[in-house]
Each structure stands twice: as C-alpha cells, then as structure tokens.
Amino acid sequence: MTRNRTTFTRTLVAGSLSIAVMAGSGCAGRQYGHILANNDKDMVGSHAAGAATWNPLVDEAVAKLLSRCPPTIQTVGFNTIDGVPGGASPDGVIGSALAAGPATVCFIGIENKSAEEIGDFKDQIYEQIDSQINTAETFRGISRRMVDAALIETRLRPDSLFLPENRHVFAATLGRQGTPVDYLLYATITSGTTDRNKSSQRDYTLTLEMVNLHTGDFTKESAKLRKGYSKTRAGKWWNWGPFDQADG
C-alpha cells in the first residue's frame, strides 16, 4: 500500500510539473496581439530600427522641408520642339502648377544606403512622406502609380533623372497625362555604426532632396536619430547611463 501511494504521488507531481511547463511556455507557436492606443509608445526594436526610429525621422525631415517656401518657378509647357518632347515654348512660358497655386512634387522613391534591410518599412516610409507632402499648402504630390508608369514608359532609372535631357523627357511623359511637374523629391536612408565590445551605437539619417525640375537647383533637409544596442541590460547603463529611454 505504501509503495502504491508513493508511486501515485510521484506521478501526480510529474503531471503537475508538465502542466506548469506547458502553461509557462505559452504553448509553443501561439502569439498574442493587442491594439495600441494613440498615446502608447512605439516599440523599440532590439536588433534593428523600427517604428520608434523611422516615425520621428520622417516627421522631422518632412517638417524641415515643408518649412521652406518654394522659390518662384518659370512656368513651362510640354510642347514638342525639334522633335524633342518637353521643350520650352517660343516665349519661354510653360504650364507649371505654380501658375495655379501649389508646386507639384514628384516623389521618385527611397534609396536605402544603411547597414540594415528595412523590409516593409520602405513602403510605409514612402507613404508617410507622400501623405505629409500632400497635406501642405505649398506643395501637392503626384500619384505614385503615375510616377512608376512614367518611369517604365521612359525606361529611366530614378538616378538618371539628374540629367537635364532625361528630366525633360520624364516631365513630358507626366505632362501628357495632365500632370505638370515642378520638383523631383528623393529620399535617402544612411547609417553609421560605432562598436564597443558587445555594445554598438547606430546613427540613422533620413535625407530629403527636392530638385527643381527646370533649373536643377536643389533643397536638402535631413533628420538624425541615434540608437544604442547592447547584449545585456547592464551594457546600456554602462555605455549611456541609467537614465536613458526605455529598453528595446
């Protein structure tokens, strides 16, 4: 009887431990989610930049760019001279969006030159910048679908638009669709990394460059954000002090 009771007790304890382990592991593969309120802080990524990095960079860079009023632009039309589309009319006057109000901005895209793959954040950053440009009184954007279609039709790469001839061909293509262009907008992401033992600091920069389509003059604004990475919690305190922002 005593031996049977001991065996039963051991079996009961082993079963209880197994249940506790399963409960503690949360049933492998299961994931939980919850909706964040507007005043909830963005999650700080533990291995790469995330919402807490990109959102403030976009807000600051766009705000700096929009704070500059666009200079006066000589209006330009999209007629054909000597077989070259997009040439200026004989009196040098071409139909620009500025003639009716806001300057038209063609957002070409985002170039990632950082040490990280930004994944699905690339499209989100594009949409955030594009949306904020369109809310400004001094600028208005062009549909991304129209921009992509014009690049395909002209067989031009975004970086090739820095050549005047290519800019005119590209602008003429959009102009035929009823969308005159005043500025080309480029976004570039860069980073610089400083390593110290098992900790590192990465400086992120988002640069917005707006090019005057007609003159080639450009305006450039950027925003910077520094982020620290550590293998341990103590590493954060050792390198940046105990009163830094919340850990990732």
Side-chain angles (χ1 to χ4, degrees):
M1 178 67 71
T2 301
R3 180 178 298 177
N4 291 340
R5 180 177 299 175
T6 301
T7 301
F8 174 77
T9 302
R10 289 176 178 175
T11 302
L12 181 62
V13 171
S16 299
L17 289 174
S18 299
I19 294 174
V21 170
M22 291 177 62
S25 64
C27 295
R30 180 174 294 179
Q31 179 172 301
Y32 300 90
H34 63 281
I35 302 299
L36 298 177
N38 290 334
N39 58 350
D40 287 335
K41 292 183 178 179
D42 286 325
M43 180 181 293
V44 180
S46 60
H47 292 77
T53 300
W54 301 126
N55 289 341
L57 281 176
V58 169
D59 292 342
E60 181 181 348
V62 174
K64 286 182 177 179
L65 190 67
L66 295 182
S67 66
R68 294 191 174 189
C69 294
T72 302
I73 292 182
Q74 183 183 22
T75 57
V76 182
F78 298 99
N79 55 335
T80 300
I81 295 180
D82 296 330
V84 179
S89 59
D91 57 1
V93 177
I94 317 181
S96 159
L98 281 184
T104 304
V105 178
C106 179
F107 188 7
I108 300 300
I110 300 173
E111 185 177 9
N112 179 27
K113 294 184 177 181
S114 72
E116 300 176 5
E117 293 292 335
I118 60 177
D120 57 354
F121 262 108
K122 186 171 184 178
D123 284 331
Q124 186 171 32
I125 292 172
Y126 184 103
E127 295 300 333
Q128 286 179 309
I129 295 174
D130 192 49
S131 296
Q132 292 188 36
I133 291 291
N134 276 288
T135 60
E137 295 181 356
T138 53
F139 299 105
R140 69 179 181 186
I142 297 176
S143 169
R144 182 178 185 179
R145 299 181 188 278
M146 296 183 67
V147 174
D148 291 342
L151 288 172
I152 293 174
E153 181 178 342
T154 58
R155 298 181 180 180
L156 293 172
R157 302 187 312 274
D159 55 354
S160 67
L161 297 179
F162 282 96
L163 296 176
E165 296 81 3
N166 292 341
R167 287 203 304 269
H168 289 311
V169 171
F170 179 73
T173 301
L174 286 174
R176 288 194 299 270
Q177 301 174 16
T179 309
V181 183
D182 296 311
Y183 292 97
L184 302 178
L185 178 62
Y186 296 83
T188 306
I189 296 172
T190 57
S191 67
T193 306
T194 303
D195 294 317
R196 178 177 177 179
N197 297 325
K198 293 184 178 181
S199 299
S200 64
Q201 174 181 313
R202 183 156 291 166
D203 297 5
Y204 299 91
T205 302
L206 172 62
T207 302
L208 298 180
E209 184 175 0
M210 187 175 287
V211 182
N212 185 315
L213 183 71
H214 314 298
T215 66
D217 296 335
F218 69 93
T219 298
K220 182 181 290 188
E221 291 290 350
S222 62
K224 299 180 180 180
L225 189 148
R226 300 179 301 157
K227 185 178 178 184
Y229 296 94
S230 301
K231 295 295 184 181
T232 64
R233 191 176 299 271
K236 167 183 173 286
W237 297 339
W238 176 261
N239 290 287
W240 295 282
F243 302 107
D244 198 16
Q245 297 179 359
D247 296 333

